[in-house]
Amino acid sequence: MQHLKIAYYFLVLLVGVAAIVYAVLMHRAYRLPFLRPFAGFLGFNNALALVNLTSAYACANLIGFCAIGRYTVLGDVLGPVARLSQAGIVYTLFAAARGFEGRRLSAGFNRWFGAGAGLLAATYALTALAPRGSALWLWTARAQIVVFFAGVLAILGVLAGLVLSARRIADPSERRAVCMFGTAYLAIYAVFVLTFPLPDPVQFIPNALGLLAINLFPFLWLGKPFAKAYAAAPATVSDRDSFEAFCRTRGLTPREADIIGLILRGKSNADIEKALFISIHTVKNHITNIHQKLGVRSRWQLISLFHAGAPSRPRSGPPAREADEQPRNGLRPQ
């Protein structure tokens, strides 16, 4: 069983690294204020997975060292790492929630939160140095437990607040994307909280599945929901000029430019087929030719290349070309 845990946590970490890379690449492509803290949020969650992997591996290979605190082996090291990772999760969630509003955390908040994290780290140093069972050790241990449960409540509160505030978003696609983000992670962390009282062997399965779900969610959310919400904003005149220059300097045909414009606005192949009144096979052939001309292999690479080569404002999409709404042959659906 212990070896299965090791293999599972290793899988979680592999998926987690891929999810972090994906979020970072999307941040480079879109420069939205919530994408960087989202990547950090994934990173701190994977720090917890690494703690679990380290603990499980040591427990399987160092017989007799599996009863030091909650995190088995090296409890004085792994415990603080896990608790400080929880503080990182709280901070990045605050930053992401603020980012969904198009704003960043204030300097005052950063200072106070940094001071609190530093104080928490100091209590772990005191716990390690103080004699086990002494008054100082007991008080710092109790303070750490209080901070832990306060952090749990903060995580649930931020996610619940994000879901509630999303109802005030006017754009339906953006509202759905924010609600999906908040609801998914609120459900995952609610499972963590509900399983706290359970014995460790029973608690392992839902917690392990929750860690995997945290890392799998970005691959679902950063696809169509994200693209529909944040890649379809109207473009400015300067964006249109940049887009036309981007296509002209790379030797793209007018039809290929039309297709790129729709891709950058979050449209799927089926959407492009309907907008331009061409077959799905023609759409795929055009996309293959575009990828070859631009030297990219996927849509997010194309988006990243466009934003790197054609300056635009955050949350600004490609130009709404006339060809996007009306086919070049002038025909309209009956």
Side-chain angles (χ1 to χ4, degrees):
M1 182 62 182
Q2 200 68 21
H3 293 288
L4 289 177
K5 286 185 178 181
I6 294 170
Y8 184 83
Y9 282 126
F10 188 71
L11 171 65
V12 170
L13 279 172
L14 287 179
V15 177
V17 170
I20 294 168
V21 171
Y22 191 17
V24 170
L25 289 172
M26 295 300 284
H27 170 67
R28 290 181 178 179
Y30 287 98
R31 300 292 178 182
L32 292 167
F34 57 80
L35 284 175
R36 178 177 287 179
F38 181 41
F41 166 78
L42 294 171
F44 284 114
N45 275 284
N46 280 282
L48 291 178
L50 182 59
V51 166
N52 288 329
L53 173 62
T54 304
S55 178
Y57 179 80
C59 198
N61 291 275
L62 301 176
I63 304 300
F65 291 88
C66 297
I68 306 176
R70 175 76 178 213
Y71 290 94
T72 65
V73 72
L74 300 177
D76 290 338
V77 176
L78 298 185
V81 169
R83 301 299 186 228
L84 291 173
S85 295
Q86 185 208 36
I89 291 171
V90 173
Y91 178 80
T92 50
L93 272 180
F94 269 113
R98 193 74 167 172
F100 279 116
E101 300 174 355
R103 295 181 287 178
R104 302 182 188 278
L105 295 174
S106 66
F109 180 90
N110 290 334
R111 284 194 298 268
W112 280 104
F113 198 94
L119 184 60
L120 179 62
T123 66
Y124 283 109
L126 285 174
T127 304
L129 295 174
R132 192 176 185 87
S134 65
L136 179 60
W137 187 92
L138 288 173
W139 278 106
T140 53
R142 290 168 183 168
Q144 291 160 11
I145 293 173
V146 171
V147 171
F148 169 76
F149 283 103
V152 170
L153 293 176
I155 290 172
L156 296 178
V158 171
L159 291 169
L162 183 62
V163 174
L164 293 175
S165 65
R167 298 179 180 180
R168 299 194 298 267
I169 298 176
D171 181 74
S173 296
E174 188 174 346
R175 183 169 60 250
R176 282 194 294 270
V178 176
C179 279
M180 183 178 180
F181 181 97
T183 303
Y185 282 121
L186 181 60
I188 292 170
Y189 278 96
V191 170
F192 289 156
V193 173
L194 292 174
T195 57
F196 280 159
L198 301 178
D200 285 353
V202 180
Q203 192 182 101
F204 167 74
I205 295 177
N207 284 0
L209 291 176
L211 279 173
L212 183 60
I214 287 171
N215 290 331
L216 287 175
F217 178 77
F219 297 100
L220 171 66
W221 187 72
L222 289 173
K224 197 168 184 179
F226 173 88
K228 279 193 171 184
Y230 299 102
T236 63
V237 174
S238 62
D239 293 330
R240 183 178 298 109
D241 294 339
S242 297
F243 177 76
E244 291 175 352
F246 174 86
C247 295
R248 184 174 59 253
T249 57
R250 287 162 176 77
L252 298 171
T253 66
R255 177 60 84 192
E256 289 169 347
D258 294 339
I259 291 175
I260 288 180
L262 290 169
I263 289 174
L264 295 177
R265 292 166 62 195
K267 303 297 182 182
S268 65
N269 287 356
D271 295 330
I272 296 172
E273 176 189 17
K274 294 176 182 177
L276 300 181
F277 302 102
I278 56 179
S279 71
I280 192 69
H281 299 292
T282 303
V283 172
K284 292 179 180 179
N285 288 336
H286 279 305
I287 291 176
T288 299
N289 292 334
I290 290 169
H291 285 181
Q292 290 175 349
K293 288 183 179 182
L294 299 182
V296 299
R297 296 183 179 180
S298 63
R299 293 182 177 228
W300 66 259
Q301 286 184 340
L302 188 156
I303 294 169
S304 181
L305 178 65
F306 169 73
H307 285 287
S312 60
R313 297 180 304 175
R315 299 177 71 169
S316 175
R321 298 169 61 92
E322 292 182 0
D324 293 347
E325 311 301 334
Q326 179 177 338
R328 291 185 178 275
N329 58 15
L331 296 177
R332 292 187 178 275
Q334 301 298 318

